[in-house]
Amino acid sequence: MSQRLGPLSRSSGSCGRRKRRTGFVSAVYKAEAPVEEAGGTGFVENLHVELIADLGVKDDSDTGALLKRLIELGSSSPEFVLPQHELTEEKRVPGCASRVWIDCEVREEDSLVHFRGYSDSAISKGMCNLLCRNFSGKLTPESFLSIDESFLKEVTRGLGPVLSSSHRRHGLFSIFDSMRKRVHQLVSGGIDEPFPSLVITKEDLIPQGKYAESQATYLKPDQSKVDDLVRSLKETKCGVVAHFYMDPEVQGVLAAAQKDWPHIHISDSLVMADRAVDMAAEGGCENICVLGVDFMSENVRATLDHQGYNDVNVYRMDVDLIGCTLAEAAESERYERYLEEAARATENALHVVYINTSLKTKAVAQSKVPTITCTSSNVVQTILQSSSQLDGDLSVFYGPDAYMGANIKEMLEQLCGTSDEEVRKIHKDHDISSIKNLLSRFRYYQDGICLVHDMFGSEVAQTIRESYADAFCTAHFEVPGEMFKLALHASHNGDRGVIGSTKNILDFILGKVAEANEHNLESERLQFILGTESGMITSVVNAVQESLREAGSNVEVEIVFPVNSSAITSASQANAPAMPFGLDIVPGPAGGEGCSMEGGCASCPYMKINSLDALMFVLSKLEEDDSDPILQDYAPRNYEESIDGKSFAQVGTVPILHMRHFTQHKCMSDDLVADIKARGLQ
């Protein structure tokens, strides 16, 4: 793997810390009491008014006049324009359809922040000048950093015809975010981008920081390992379904093996079982190896059985249970009490349970209260649609992920503060009144977390706000509220972020890369915060490089791992914080670094049990003697318990089938609605 040095690969410490020169001339920041803003006390409150007034166009529907004024602004006020020799890559605004540059300084004579910018597009140059001239010499650095960019929404409304293009709306927000980033660099002394990252080009991978190096190590696997795997899979007629969160070594080999053995699939948990059925039905696979935690193999087994493929064998990667803190939270006595509360609390109740739970959880839940499974990508629509179909006469109980539950509540609260029109964009049958009613009848379990996503807390979010203000922000729906709000804010402002499942995150990244390819600029850098498990990087790299190669693009895509400095620790570190179930330190692939609970490593220790050695061991046993009793130890859990004379598999599959109906028809099944109403009358 090439690890060339250059502007994208600077000397970095263990967590990828890079130091850049900041400001033009000699930037000065005085740590003294803030001066009175030149704009007066009402300056911040009336920002959108000031900006729109600066355009001097009375009729905001006159597109021609607005465009003319923006072009005029771009060619006036030279004091706010960066000269050509200062148009460096470090001052570029990422993600714009045209090239834009921003820089700033704090001048000694007034201790206020001043901006200059430039663009090779006349309209972007005008937007750049509009912001620079209205902020320069008006605020101290602290005051500027305290401004919420929501004022730009009012500006975009005022410039509606001009900003009808999503590229222009995004560009306006990106320019302002880059201004914030530059000011923070001044305040922090020039240290920025403290997280490790991996830069992807159409032909190269450039890791920056030890953590990124460890992630990149296996993205170009040993061909002999790939050949051995393909031979064994063909010999045993075995398909493989694996989760995005697999160790990079395993994913690298699996991805390379797909070229010679198509019955390998890497995805989020929702699709794994469906692809296993396809492998059995269309590929003639007699065995399926599941690389994931236990509820995933259970789901594959139950789905195959439901589709009539009982004779297809399913194997896990360890004789011991491969746990999940979230799934285990739902098997607790406390969760059963939560379900009992749901069953007796109201007349009409629906339990929406995360798909990432065991068949036992789903079966027990269905026996107590009508239950439908959900994913991180469809949970909001599931809740909105079910409430709509029951005419608002429904109480929704979500579980077990406390962060996702809190984030759903946050979204509903934000919707209540919008308009009926905005609500209907989310769901056509809802308005503010119905959302308020739903919010009053929404409950969520507050004691379940994903070990990995719990690490994306306030410290990580604060660092992103300060040092990565102009990056695209992605976040899984399971992350804590601080990270969730950050990505939600980005998604609402210029389409610069996404919240959802791993697939939603991958699709968002690929969409932005496709847009950048269309820009056809000589050079372009996109930066994404990967707000989920770092094992996903393999799928991101493969998909992004394929997109860049097909387009012959020079775009560079930087994937940032939001890992605290304390996440990269020595394997022999004294007093290391204990991980659950005795996993004190999870060794990294290189350098002896590991992951601490305090710093977060964005890496799931349970998923890492699914090693390449474990997969090859199972395959070797299948090759030697597929009737070897030891293989039964690798089968998914076989629950002996039953509910009302039916197995856990039979009852636990019902909530999954309800979700499949919703996915296909965009409505709750008649059986589910009837079950809710029937139990409500009991």
Side-chain angles (χ1 to χ4, degrees):
M1 179 183 301
S2 170
Q3 295 193 21
R4 60 180 173 83
L5 294 176
L8 296 179
S9 185
R10 299 172 177 81
S11 175
S12 56
S14 63
C15 63
R17 187 176 298 274
R18 286 172 283 169
K19 188 167 183 176
R20 294 179 174 175
R21 300 179 66 182
T22 61
F24 57 90
V25 192
S26 176
V28 177
Y29 172 69
K30 295 183 178 180
E32 55 189 31
V35 300
E36 177 70 18
E37 288 85 350
T41 57
F43 176 74
V44 174
E45 291 81 355
N46 295 292
L47 275 172
H48 65 283
V49 177
E50 296 287 339
L51 288 168
I52 295 174
D54 193 23
L55 290 170
V57 178
K58 295 181 180 180
D59 183 3
D60 62 10
S61 65
D62 189 342
T63 304
L66 285 169
L67 287 173
K68 182 180 178 181
R69 176 56 178 157
L70 279 174
I71 293 172
E72 289 175 352
L73 280 176
S75 59
S76 64
S77 305
E79 67 271 24
F80 302 116
V81 177
L82 267 177
Q84 290 291 320
H85 70 274
E86 292 190 40
L87 304 183
T88 64
E89 283 301 308
E90 290 185 355
K91 297 173 184 177
R92 277 279 302 277
V93 177
C96 293
S98 54
R99 292 189 299 173
V100 182
W101 293 262
I102 283 288
D103 204 0
C104 69
E105 67 172 343
V106 176
R107 295 178 181 170
E108 288 188 83
E109 64 266 22
D110 58 14
S111 296
L112 302 177
V113 66
H114 295 258
F115 296 94
R116 291 192 296 176
Y118 184 80
S119 175
D120 55 12
S121 160
I123 296 175
S124 294
K125 188 187 298 183
M127 291 193 295
C128 193
N129 197 307
L130 179 68
L131 291 175
C132 287
R133 61 191 270 138
N134 277 280
F135 281 109
S136 289
K138 302 286 182 68
L139 300 167
T140 62
E142 304 100 321
S143 297
F144 180 81
L145 290 174
S146 70
I147 296 174
D148 188 292
E149 65 184 16
S150 58
F151 76 92
L152 286 176
K153 290 184 178 180
E154 297 299 327
V155 176
T156 58
R157 291 191 183 99
L159 297 175
V162 175
L163 299 181
S164 58
S165 164
S166 61
H167 292 313
R168 289 177 183 168
R169 285 197 305 274
H170 167 71
L172 189 63
F173 282 96
S174 292
I175 292 170
F176 182 73
D177 280 341
S178 289
M179 292 167 72
R180 288 179 58 85
K181 181 176 179 178
R182 302 294 185 270
V183 173
H184 176 73
Q185 288 172 352
L186 294 182
V187 173
S188 63
I191 298 177
D192 73 326
E193 302 192 5
F195 293 143
S197 67
L198 184 64
V199 177
I200 308 167
T201 70
K202 62 176 178 286
E203 300 296 342
D204 205 358
L205 299 173
I206 308 150
Q208 306 194 74
K210 290 294 185 182
Y211 191 84
E213 289 172 9
S214 72
Q215 295 298 307
T217 301
Y218 298 107
L219 289 172
K220 294 184 179 179
D222 184 331
Q223 189 58 44
S224 64
K225 293 183 178 180
V226 176
D227 294 340
D228 287 345
L229 176 61
V230 171
R231 180 196 58 76
S232 293
L233 291 173
K234 289 181 176 180
E235 180 70 23
T236 58
K237 297 182 179 179
C238 184
V240 176
V241 290
H243 195 270
F244 279 132
Y245 292 172
M246 287 300 97
D247 189 276
E249 177 185 15
V250 183
Q251 287 203 55
V253 174
L254 288 175
Q258 284 176 316
K259 299 173 184 176
D260 298 309
W261 184 246
H263 310 305
I264 297 173
H265 182 77
I266 304 171
S267 69
D268 58 18
S269 58
L270 174 64
V271 186
M272 290 170 66
D274 290 338
R275 296 294 81 80
V277 171
D278 293 341
M279 292 172 188
E282 302 169 11
C285 291
E286 299 175 0
N287 301 290
I288 302 291
C289 282
V290 180
L291 277 67
V293 292
D294 282 337
F295 64 76
M296 297 175 184
S297 58
E298 292 174 16
N299 194 30
V300 169
R301 176 74 276 166
T303 304
L304 284 168
D305 290 346
H306 184 265
Q307 296 296 321
Y309 295 99
N310 308 71
D311 56 340
V312 174
N313 301 307
V314 176
Y315 298 103
R316 302 156 53 252
M317 294 298 103
D318 201 273
V319 295
D320 295 322
L321 294 180
I322 305 176
C324 167
T325 55
L326 188 59
E328 288 161 7
E331 292 190 36
S332 65
E333 291 183 5
R334 188 165 186 171
Y335 199 78
E336 284 198 42
R337 292 196 297 270
Y338 172 70
L339 294 175
E340 290 165 358
E341 174 191 346
R344 64 174 180 266
T346 59
E347 290 186 357
N348 292 328
L350 174 66
H351 173 225
V352 180
V353 64
Y354 197 21
I355 189 71
N356 294 0
T357 48
S358 68
L359 274 175
K360 176 182 178 180
T361 292
K362 297 179 179 74
V364 171
Q366 174 63 22
S367 70
K368 295 180 180 297
V369 62
T371 298
I372 183 173
T373 58
C374 71
T375 69
S376 49
S377 60
N378 68 21
V379 59
V380 173
Q381 289 299 321
T382 298
I383 292 172
L384 292 175
Q385 179 61 31
S386 60
S387 175
S388 171
Q389 280 188 239
L390 271 294
D391 296 321
D393 186 23
L394 179 72
S395 291
V396 177
F397 291 78
Y398 169 80
D401 192 294
Y403 288 136
M404 189 182 292
N407 293 339
I408 294 168
K409 182 179 179 183
E410 172 75 19
M411 288 190 72
L412 293 175
E413 289 174 343
Q414 288 203 15
L415 279 176
C416 289
T418 60
S419 64
D420 289 342
E421 181 183 3
E422 291 297 318
V423 171
R424 291 191 185 99
K425 290 179 182 178
I426 307 298
H427 193 285
K428 62 182 181 64
D429 296 328
H430 277 281
D431 54 26
I432 289 180
S433 176
S434 65
I435 294 297
K436 287 182 177 179
N437 177 57
L438 171 58
L439 186 58
S440 70
R441 304 176 66 137
F442 175 74
R443 304 288 184 274
Y444 66 92
Y445 187 65
Q446 300 188 24
D447 290 303
I449 62 166
C450 165
L451 175 68
V452 173
H453 291 116
D454 185 47
M455 296 175 179
F456 294 91
S458 58
E459 182 180 342
V460 168
Q462 181 64 25
T463 302
I464 294 171
R465 267 192 297 270
E466 294 174 345
S467 300
Y468 299 87
D470 52 4
F472 293 105
C473 187
T474 74
H476 198 278
F477 222 132
E478 295 176 38
V479 298
E482 297 91 342
M483 185 73 179
F484 173 83
K485 290 177 182 177
L486 204 61
L488 181 64
H489 184 73
S491 68
H492 286 174
N493 293 281
D495 188 29
R496 295 171 299 116
V498 68
I499 297 167
S501 66
T502 45
K503 185 178 186 304
N504 294 145
I505 291 173
L506 180 59
D507 289 346
F508 176 81
I509 293 173
L510 291 178
K512 293 302 178 184
V513 172
E515 289 179 7
N517 290 340
E518 293 175 1
H519 298 167
N520 198 29
L521 299 176
E522 292 181 5
S523 64
E524 177 71 3
R525 165 83 75 88
L526 303 181
Q527 189 179 61
F528 296 88
I529 303 297
L530 187 64
T532 190
E533 218 272 3
S534 60
M536 192 180 170
I537 190 61
T538 307
S539 295
V540 172
V541 167
N542 292 336
V544 166
Q545 280 196 323
E546 181 180 358
S547 175
L548 296 177
R549 287 168 181 166
E550 288 180 354
S553 174
N554 292 320
V555 171
E556 295 176 333
V557 179
E558 183 178 16
I559 306 298
V560 177
F561 303 99
V563 181
N564 280 354
S565 58
S566 55
I568 310 301
T569 57
S570 167
S572 59
Q573 178 186 13
N575 302 316
M579 301 281 275
F581 308 104
L583 294 169
D584 291 337
I585 288 291
V586 184
E593 73 270 14
C595 309
S596 72
M597 283 289 286
E598 179 185 0
C601 64
S603 182
C604 177
Y606 308 108
M607 285 291 190
K608 301 309 179 268
I609 294 174
N610 296 272
S611 66
L612 185 61
D613 287 343
L615 175 59
M616 295 306 296
F617 175 79
V618 172
L619 292 174
S620 69
K621 288 299 179 183
L622 286 171
E623 286 185 82
E624 294 170 7
D625 181 6
D626 59 8
S627 62
D628 190 329
I630 196 172
L631 287 170
Q632 293 305 310
D633 294 333
Y634 289 84
R637 279 187 290 188
N638 182 21
Y639 297 102
E640 297 179 357
E641 303 98 319
S642 63
I643 296 177
D644 298 329
K646 296 181 180 180
S647 68
F648 275 175
Q650 289 175 302
V651 182
T653 303
V654 172
I656 299 174
L657 296 177
H658 288 327
M659 184 185 72
R660 291 185 182 280
H661 182 281
F662 172 68
T663 302
Q664 294 172 6
H665 303 286
K666 308 305 178 187
C667 65
M668 301 298 110
S669 67
D670 292 340
D671 288 343
L672 177 57
V673 173
D675 189 17
I676 292 171
K677 292 182 177 179
R679 293 205 226 185
L681 295 174
Q682 294 176 3

